[in-house]
Amino acid sequence: MAAARPNSLFGMGNPLLDICAVVDKDFLDKYSLKANDQILAEDKHKALFEELVKKFKVEYHAGGATQNSIKIAQWMIQEPHNVGTFFGCIGKDKFGEILKQKAEEAHIQARYYEQGEEPTGTCAACLTGTNRSLVANLAAANCYKKDKHLDLEENWELVEKANVYYIAGFFLTVSVESILKVAKHASENNKLFCLNLSAPFICQFFKDNLMKVLPYVDVLFGNETEASAFGKEQDWDTKDVKEIAKKAQALTKENTKRPRIVVFTQGSEDTVMATEDKVKTFPVLKVDPKDIVDTNGAGDAFVGGFLSQLVQDKPVERCVEAAHYAGSVIIKQAGCTFPEKPDFN
């Protein structure tokens, strides 16, 4: 078993400041939002952010799917600090300063590309009951540039130090060339590259970019709605999550030394994992519905828990246990926040 070492886990994605509030159905309807979804903000959503802050009690949390997962992995590992490295683009503003401060508090090494053209990205997390509808205004996050940041020698050195890589599918809308550079490095050096489907719209509207990256993916994450959207886009005539996992596992892969693993969560239902020779299910930890504060960040936490063990070369079953533990903790907290120390052994 390898002990985690600094910079052994690398993440790259959209650093966003989450603006979280419990809203009502009228608010969702006004902006044509589904109760449980993730979308990119369009012009019609511009007023949503202002109304959210004016009309509801909001909390600000450092977010962005990949950054959340890297922080959770670090929290699960505790020591040493800076096991997790994170790259992404922010603005030179107050929200950017908050993200820097929060990354430091979480003991991850966030090396942001800072630019002055666009403000730091935000994500409205509109909560109703146990559902969360996420509307991301990428702004600065959308300005990440491979040649201006990833390619710089002092940054690429940090990429080379890692042995596990994780990128949420959301980043496919920003810089597929950056993802491919990291993915190819992992594949050529027999390291682990992990990707999340992240949202149905990624599978539908960014399918070409997704399929360019998929041959390099060693571990593919997603939830049941994303799995279903992925299967539909592949013209697989099935809605069965196990069947979709099995088919996704068997898709072409560059590094044949490592068979792909596919992990699909299904909320409170069993988690599905497809490996080379079988599909297994794992029951999630039961959480009393009255203890659920908000499900925003549950998927990110699941991945973070998984990565915390993967980076230490633990068996995949142990990775799923840690993933379920982390997910069960996060849904009892507001936003993707966590208690001081994990209670996982």
Side-chain angles (χ1 to χ4, degrees):
M1 297 293 172
R5 53 177 177 75
N7 306 119
S8 54
L9 174 63
F10 175 85
M12 180 168 61
N14 301 329
L16 305 173
L17 192 72
D18 286 349
I19 306 171
C20 311
V22 175
V23 302
D24 48 35
K25 190 175 179 302
D26 290 347
F27 184 81
L28 295 182
D29 293 344
K30 181 176 178 180
Y31 293 102
S32 325
L33 302 178
K34 292 177 189 161
N36 214 18
D37 201 11
Q38 349 24 355
I39 61 167
L40 291 178
E42 298 167 37
D43 283 344
K44 66 179 178 186
H45 299 116
K46 287 279 188 281
L48 177 152
F49 289 84
E50 288 164 25
E51 188 177 337
L52 193 68
V53 174
K54 272 195 197 129
K55 199 168 165 187
F56 302 97
K57 182 177 175 290
V58 300
E59 287 188 11
Y60 294 92
H61 296 290
T66 305
Q67 185 168 241
N68 282 344
S69 295
I70 300 296
K71 283 180 181 172
I72 295 281
Q74 180 67 55
W75 170 71
M76 288 286 287
I77 292 164
Q78 291 282 308
E79 300 282 342
H81 291 168
N82 295 340
V83 168
T85 310
F86 177 78
F87 286 7
C89 182
I90 60 173
K92 296 177 176 175
D93 51 26
K94 187 181 83 185
F95 284 175
E97 288 305 315
I98 293 173
L99 286 185
K100 284 199 268 191
Q101 181 196 333
K102 295 288 182 190
E104 209 171 297
E105 285 170 11
H107 306 303
I108 64 166
Q109 185 167 355
R111 190 166 286 185
Y112 297 120
Y113 168 46
E114 296 180 47
Q115 50 71 59
E117 309 286 300
E118 286 279 342
T120 296
T122 49
C123 178
C126 310
L127 314 171
T128 51
T130 58
N131 290 322
R132 75 332 164 235
S133 194
L134 306 177
V135 184
N137 180 27
L138 296 184
N142 207 22
C143 301
Y144 189 83
K145 299 280 185 288
K146 174 177 167 287
D147 56 338
K148 297 265 177 66
H149 193 261
L150 186 68
D151 291 344
L152 303 185
E153 197 178 334
E154 66 270 25
N155 294 332
W156 187 250
E157 274 173 7
L158 284 175
V159 177
E160 290 180 322
K161 276 186 178 179
N163 51 11
V164 175
Y165 301 85
Y166 173 66
I167 298 176
F170 291 123
F171 203 58
L172 287 163
T173 75
V174 174
S175 181
V176 72
E177 55 284 354
S178 295
I179 300 176
L180 283 168
K181 183 173 182 179
V182 172
K184 286 174 180 171
H185 167 79
S187 181
E188 285 159 10
N189 293 278
N190 197 29
K191 297 171 173 184
L192 281 157
F193 181 79
C194 315
L195 184 81
N196 203 318
L197 293 175
S198 291
F201 83 85
I202 298 290
C203 306
Q204 293 156 341
F205 306 119
F206 293 89
K207 180 181 168 183
D208 291 353
N209 284 355
L210 176 60
M211 297 318 286
K212 277 181 201 160
V213 175
L214 209 65
Y216 302 99
V217 176
D218 296 295
V219 184
L220 181 69
F221 295 103
N223 66 22
E224 74 279 31
T225 47
E226 294 148 15
S228 171
F230 183 74
K232 192 177 170 194
E233 288 300 321
Q234 300 299 316
D235 296 324
W236 295 335
D237 196 18
T238 179
K239 287 195 168 141
D240 184 292
V241 173
K242 290 183 193 162
E243 195 56 35
I244 295 167
K246 195 173 162 185
K247 285 178 179 288
Q249 192 282 329
L251 289 169
T252 314
K253 190 164 184 302
E254 281 292 325
N255 177 11
T256 50
K257 293 185 197 134
R258 293 182 185 273
R260 181 181 294 119
I261 298 166
V262 177
V263 186
F264 289 150
T265 58
Q266 307 185 86
S268 57
E269 301 296 310
D270 290 4
T271 294
V272 172
M273 179 162 70
T275 53
E276 193 176 22
D277 47 1
K278 56 181 175 291
V279 179
K280 286 173 78 171
T281 58
F282 300 83
V284 301
L285 295 168
K286 291 283 167 262
V287 176
D288 189 325
K290 71 174 190 300
D291 291 335
I292 298 175
V293 175
D294 110 43
T295 54
N296 182 25
D300 300 339
F302 177 93
V303 172
F306 195 100
L307 295 172
S308 74
Q309 306 305 300
L310 195 65
V311 80
Q312 298 177 77
D313 283 342
K314 301 279 171 73
V316 284
E317 292 76 14
R318 183 67 175 160
C319 295
V320 174
E321 275 176 31
H324 283 161
Y325 167 75
S328 75
V329 170
I330 297 312
I331 59 176
K332 296 176 196 163
Q333 309 266 137
C336 195
T337 57
F338 33 85
E340 193 188 343
K341 285 202 160 63
D343 179 21
F344 177 74
N345 41 39

